[in-house]
């Protein structure tokens, strides 16, 4: 397996030092670029394999708050020609029912990627469900095998949000190598993978969490701050080092509005670059998920001998 492989070429890296009104790092345009490339890959795959790449999302409980997110994924897939659908289980479904559904999808040759929509009802043992996902179809990188590959610096599937948090920096030409970075949040799906990805990009990384004693002190020293805590307004401009680059992963609803974990108004006065919420990491997350799916599909689906291309013309991603 390739080590330290990145799915996209490394852009040129201008230095970011001055704080004269932050540059907005918007995910929309980058996501559009990615979707255009994915649509081409999907067309090539479909022509070669005689079927489109397939994604299934397992959702437990009709009123799950994640329904909006799910609809967004399905719409994004439809736009680029991916065969996406969901398997809906009733809210009272047992853990065994969820894992057996996942195992059926693992066996289905027309399904290349499987996502289990979180959060699951508290009665279901999360670990058993995660373990049931075939790592080759785990396009959101939650299976321990993929988490381990990331930890070791190998090329597995990355959790899409963490991937987006770092990819938005790379694609915006923000230098990461050698920088002091702070990640706030240590969850298995966002904080920790974002931290490992930053280390992989040669940043020096500190991970903060709810028991961190001097959060402001750590943030003050950081040139790059990635915030994934789920606490609105946790990071303010007063805490930031002038010229810092701020990636706000948080999604919170406050008074009916979606806001991040960063107090945007004060932070943008001090930072040199900042992601808005909404419109920053979010759009990129969904687009990157599509790239993970096409990669899973290309790795799994054998090419029928009648239409097989010479190996050198199929890029192994
Ligand atoms: P999570 O599992 O609840 O983890 C939150 C992390 O933040 C924990 O490690 C927690 O520390 C830490 N934390 C909480 N309060 C803190 C505080 N006051 N000071 C410092 N650290 C604190 O959440 P998650 O799933 O990682 O998600 C994080 C955020 O990202 C949420 O707002 C979520 O909605 C958002 N999100 C965004 C996307 C996207 O596409 N943009 C996707 C997924 C999630 P402990 O470990 O000590 O508890």
């Amino acid at each position: 397996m390739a080590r330290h492989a990145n799915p996209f070429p490394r852009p040129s890296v201008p230095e970011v030092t001055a704080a004269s009104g932050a540059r907005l790092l918007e995910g929309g345009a980058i996501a559009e670029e990615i979707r255009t490339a994915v649509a081409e890959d999907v067309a090539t795959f479909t022509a070669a394999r005689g079927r489109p790449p397939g994604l299934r999302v397992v959702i437990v409980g009709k009123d799950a708050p994640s329904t909006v997110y799910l609809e967004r994924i399905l719409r994004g897939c439809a736009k680029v020609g991916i065969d996406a659908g969901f398997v809906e289980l009733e809210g009272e479904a047992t853990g065994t029912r969820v894992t057996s559904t996942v195992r059926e999808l693992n066996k289905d040759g027309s399904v290349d990627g499987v996502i289990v929509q979180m959060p699951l009802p508290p009665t279901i043992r999360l670990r058993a469900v995660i373990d049931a996902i075939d790592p080759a179809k785990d396009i959101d990188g939650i299976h321990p095998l993929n988490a381990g590959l990331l930890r070791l610096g190998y090329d597995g599937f990355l959790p899409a949000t963490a991937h987006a948090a770092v990819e938005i920096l790379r694609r915006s030409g923000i230098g990461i190598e050698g920088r002091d970075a702070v990640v706030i949040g240590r969850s298995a799906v966002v904080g920790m993978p974002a931290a490992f990805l930053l280390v992989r990009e040669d940043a020096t990384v500190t991970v903060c969490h709810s028991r961190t004693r001097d959060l402001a002190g750590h943030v003050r020293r950081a040139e790059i701050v990635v915030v994934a805590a789920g606490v609105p307004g946790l990071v303010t401009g007063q805490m930031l080092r002038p010229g810092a680059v701020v990636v706000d992963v948080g999604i919170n609803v406050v008074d009916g509005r979606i806001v991040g974990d960063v107090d945007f108004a004060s932070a943008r006065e001090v930072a040199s670059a900042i992601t808005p919420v909404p419109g920053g990491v979010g759009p990129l997350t969904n687009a990157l998920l599509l790239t993970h799916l096409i990669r899973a599909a290309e790795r799994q689906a054998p090419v029928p001998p009648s239409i097989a291309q010479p190996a050198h013309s199929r890029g192994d991603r």
Side-chain angles (χ1 to χ4, degrees):
M1 251 181 276
R3 208 164 182 275
H4 288 227
N6 265 311
F8 302 108
R10 192 181 286 265
S12 63
V13 178
E15 279 298 301
V16 179
T17 47
S20 53
R23 170 184 164 203
L24 272 192
L25 305 177
E26 291 177 293
I30 304 172
E32 201 44 52
E33 228 175 85
I34 292 172
R35 270 195 294 270
T36 304
V38 168
E40 284 171 22
D41 285 349
V42 168
T44 306
F45 178 94
T46 307
R49 270 68 163 190
R51 67 163 181 87
L55 169 69
R56 293 293 176 273
V57 183
V58 178
I59 182 160
V60 184
K62 232 191 183 99
D63 300 322
S66 46
T67 310
V68 179
Y69 178 64
L70 172 68
E71 279 168 8
R72 219 171 277 162
I73 294 177
L74 297 185
R75 247 185 294 131
C77 287
K79 269 194 201 158
V80 296
I82 290 169
D83 165 31
F86 61 94
V87 180
E88 188 180 305
L89 303 176
E90 69 282 7
E92 296 74 36
T94 60
T96 313
R97 173 95 174 85
V98 180
T99 52
S100 65
T101 302
V102 168
R103 289 204 178 93
E104 277 164 34
L105 294 171
N106 288 346
K107 281 189 268 167
D108 187 334
S110 67
V111 174
D112 303 290
V114 175
I115 297 175
V116 178
Q117 194 59 55
M118 305 291 169
L120 289 170
T123 46
I124 293 178
R125 210 164 63 86
L126 181 63
R127 179 65 200 270
V129 175
I130 290 176
D131 284 350
I133 302 172
D134 178 349
K137 299 193 179 193
D138 172 36
I139 61 162
D140 207 11
I142 61 171
H143 189 279
L145 180 85
N146 284 312
L149 290 173
L150 169 61
R151 172 68 187 81
L152 295 171
Y154 289 98
D155 189 18
F157 286 112
L158 304 173
T161 303
H163 189 182
V166 177
E167 194 61 28
I168 202 162
L169 295 174
R170 296 184 67 256
R171 289 238 170 185
S172 305
I174 306 276
I176 302 175
E177 184 182 326
R179 291 270 166 95
D180 288 329
V182 157
V183 176
I184 306 178
R186 57 176 166 180
S187 74
V189 287
V190 190
M192 288 314 295
F196 286 128
L197 279 172
L198 287 168
V199 170
R200 195 162 99 169
E201 294 287 332
D202 299 317
T204 302
V205 182
T206 302
V207 178
C208 298
H209 45 77
S210 68
R211 309 294 168 88
T212 297
R213 259 184 288 148
D214 180 15
L215 183 69
H218 287 287
V219 171
R220 179 79 191 168
R221 283 189 288 277
E223 297 169 281
I224 295 173
V225 184
V226 175
V227 195
V231 180
L234 180 64
V235 170
T236 62
Q238 291 70 31
M239 294 162 77
L240 293 170
R241 165 181 175 155
V245 175
V246 180
V247 177
D248 189 353
V249 183
I251 298 180
N252 312 286
V253 181
V254 175
D255 298 332
R257 275 190 329 123
I258 293 183
V259 298
D261 289 350
V262 176
D263 175 41
F264 186 79
S266 64
R268 78 174 304 181
E269 295 301 317
V270 184
S272 61
I274 184 169
T275 61
V277 178
V281 173
L284 201 50
T285 299
N286 295 339
L288 287 172
L289 201 59
L290 304 181
T291 69
H292 298 183
L293 179 71
I294 189 80
R295 183 165 150 229
E298 286 172 351
R299 282 182 172 181
Q300 288 171 81
V303 185
S306 58
I307 52 171
Q309 300 164 20
H312 65 264
S313 71
R314 298 195 308 266
D316 185 39
R317 305 159 49 137

